[in-house]
Amino acid sequence: SISTKRAMVAVLFALSILGIVLVIYIFVPVALEKANARKAFYHKEYYEAYELLQGKELNDSDTILLNKVTCILKLQRKLDAYNNYVKMDKELEALNSLVEAVNLYGESYTYAKALSIDSDVDAIYEQILIILNGKYGVSEAGAKEILACESDAEYTLKLQYVIEGKNWGNVEEENSEKPMEDVLPEEEDLLEGQ
């Protein structure tokens, strides 16, 4: 017969072992993922770093790392979207992604500089500018001019002109000479009846 004292010692020992196993099972993988996220970031594998950090409980240092990765990936996603649209033969959407990237760069550069990742963001942005200039003949200033369009229709028309190799600088003048009517057949009947 086992004494009550020995049974309690055995139960406490088993619970201690179980507790240690649970702590290792719960906390060690999280710590390893965070360490792997740091490695991925320093190897410029930003998507992997993001996946390893997103949705986890983070300390201040890890939160800063996630902010850095997120800032870089916002611009990288525009470049990736461009490449995907090109593969799908959607030239207008591809060019739009690049022009939107110019806008995004302007909005996020100060934040990137504060996070000390401006060189990473600049490297992606340089790729974007090379494509804009090389393939479409659009400079950074030109992209900003397109972004300054007052209407979505004018913006889209300028992008279309760029793709077609036309002079897009005076789209608003040409557009104002030929106003587009958006009249449905039912509306036309009503207008003619007046």
Side-chain angles (χ1 to χ4, degrees):
S1 86
I2 300 177
S3 71
T4 308
K5 203 175 200 182
R6 284 188 180 199
M8 288 296 280
V9 169
V11 168
L12 287 175
F13 180 72
L15 288 175
S16 298
I17 296 296
L18 179 64
I20 291 170
V21 169
L22 284 175
V23 165
I24 290 171
Y25 180 75
I26 292 171
F27 294 110
V28 170
V30 172
L32 286 175
E33 284 182 343
K34 289 177 182 180
N36 287 338
R38 280 188 193 80
K39 277 186 203 171
F41 176 79
Y42 292 116
H43 287 101
K44 299 189 183 306
E45 297 166 358
Y46 303 119
Y47 284 110
E48 182 179 345
Y50 180 82
E51 290 298 321
L52 290 168
L53 292 171
Q54 184 60 30
K56 307 288 188 304
E57 194 170 313
L58 305 174
N59 61 27
D60 290 344
S61 163
D62 296 328
T63 300
I64 291 170
L65 183 61
L66 179 60
N67 290 340
K68 288 179 177 185
V69 169
T70 303
C71 185
I72 293 167
L73 283 180
K74 283 181 181 178
L75 198 58
Q76 181 64 50
R77 284 186 184 126
K78 291 294 181 185
L79 183 57
D80 292 345
Y82 162 79
N83 289 319
N84 289 332
Y85 283 129
V86 166
K87 288 176 188 172
M88 294 186 294
D89 270 343
K90 294 186 172 192
E91 202 68 31
L92 184 66
E93 291 84 352
L95 178 56
N96 180 54
S97 292
L98 295 177
V99 173
E100 285 179 349
V102 171
N103 186 50
L104 181 62
Y105 176 80
E107 291 174 353
S108 61
Y109 185 75
T110 304
Y111 185 57
K113 194 161 182 73
L115 291 171
S116 300
I117 55 167
D118 48 317
S119 62
D120 298 284
V121 170
D122 285 342
I124 297 167
Y125 189 60
E126 188 62 34
Q127 293 175 48
I128 290 165
L129 292 179
I130 288 170
I131 296 168
L132 269 172
N133 202 7
K135 185 171 182 178
Y136 300 104
V138 176
S139 66
E140 180 180 27
K144 289 177 180 178
E145 184 181 328
I146 292 170
L147 284 164
C149 289
E150 293 181 17
S151 71
D152 290 345
E154 180 186 343
Y155 175 84
T156 304
L157 195 56
K158 280 190 178 189
L159 292 182
Q160 194 62 49
Y161 275 30
V162 167
I163 291 168
E164 294 170 3
K166 294 180 180 178
N167 179 7
W168 52 270
N170 58 357
V171 167
E172 61 278 345
E173 293 166 14
E174 288 181 27
N175 205 20
S176 64
E177 292 172 12
K178 300 180 265 180
M180 295 180 160
E181 289 191 34
D182 186 19
V183 181
L184 295 172
E186 300 83 28
E187 294 174 323
E188 194 171 303
D189 292 340
L190 288 173
L191 291 172
E192 289 175 1
Q194 289 180 341

